[in-house]
Amino acid sequence: MEVMEVEGTAGLGSGTRLMRGKDSSRILLQHLGAMSASNVGTIMGLVLGWSSAAKAVYSDPEQQELQGFAVDLEQWSWVSSLYGIGGLIGSLSVGKLVFSLGRKWVILSVGPITMAAWALHLWATSVWMLCAGRLLMGFACGACCVATPIYISEMSSPGIRGALSTYFEILLCLGILIVYTMGKFLTVYWMNVICLLFSVVHTACFVWFPDTPRWHLLHGREKAARRSLVFYRGPHYDVDDEIKLITVGIEESKATALSGWKAFSTRPARKALIITVTLMTMQQVTGVNATTFYASKLFEVSERRPPGVC
């Protein structure tokens, strides 16, 4: 059986080696685990694109009659924007839950929360039910944006970590494409049903994957950490070296840990914060979310523009 050293881990001992052949399936299992966790990206894409796709459907008088209520543009602006408020609450509040409950259970909870949200949309009898659903969806999406990258980075081998991290954005874009397509051909009822089914599939698939080795070690569960590593690396993988590396990393983090804003008192931390906030601010001021939320309306307006007006 051929032995392959994982990129970036040479010199760390036998625990940094993966075997081709019998254990090559464990690389596939890491991909499947990352895809299953990143399926929340698909859900997030459905949520992001839903307001544009559904607005086009709700504008249809026949659909309004079937739904039992009409939604004007001002009300729809609330329906769309409450996603952002929910996302803010979710991303800020989930930090402690990621530590206490685990990365897995936070990601897994996105399924039931969004199921409840889609159910509110499915049986909505007023605009307020749509608003409540969007708020719940935003909360779930904000939580998954925090937990999913942590989960993938902690469960993956260094050599494929970058590749696995791309699944979230790919599936997010796929989710937007799917819901836009559904908005073209389906009623809002069936669009909500299919979106709900994506949440069901996410829950049913991801529940079988273990939490990360690092999270288990943070809580003193070495046996569970070993089981997690064996699950993702294979039964012939020597987990001892990786357990030691993770343990050393945790001890170093605890020794240098600072609470609250003190964590940004060091120059590297401030630099990282400035870069991150700047990049995210630049992304948001481009109007990417507004474009996604109102894409159908923007195309509708552009078709009615006077001749010669760009």
Side-chain angles (χ1 to χ4, degrees), residues 82-92 134-135 137-143:
L82 279 171
Y83 161 84
I85 297 174
L88 178 65
I89 297 170
S91 59
L92 291 177
R134 289 290 287 180
L135 193 65
M137 290 175 186
F139 179 86
C141 291

Side-chain angles (χ1 to χ4, degrees), residues 120-191:
L120 283 171
H121 284 195
L122 193 57
W123 290 292
T125 56
S126 68
V127 176
W128 297 111
M129 291 182 72
L130 295 179
C131 289
R134 289 290 287 180
L135 193 65
L136 277 176
M137 290 175 186
F139 179 86
C141 291
C144 78
C145 284
V146 175
T148 307
I150 297 174
Y151 181 88
I152 293 174
S153 67
E154 291 183 354
M155 56 73 75
S156 57
S157 299
I160 58 172
R161 188 168 295 152
L164 300 188
S165 299
T166 63
Y167 282 129
F168 185 86
E169 285 296 329
I170 292 172
L171 292 175
L172 187 151
C173 295
L174 179 63
I176 295 174
L177 176 62
I178 290 171
V179 78
Y180 279 178
T181 305
M182 289 194 295
K184 175 67 176 177
F185 298 104
L186 300 178
T187 65
V188 72
Y189 176 86
W190 286 109
M191 188 163 59

Side-chain angles (χ1 to χ4, degrees), residues 59-71:
S59 300
D60 185 354
E62 292 184 5
Q63 179 59 43
Q64 291 179 3
E65 186 176 347
L66 287 172
Q67 194 71 17
F69 63 94
V71 185

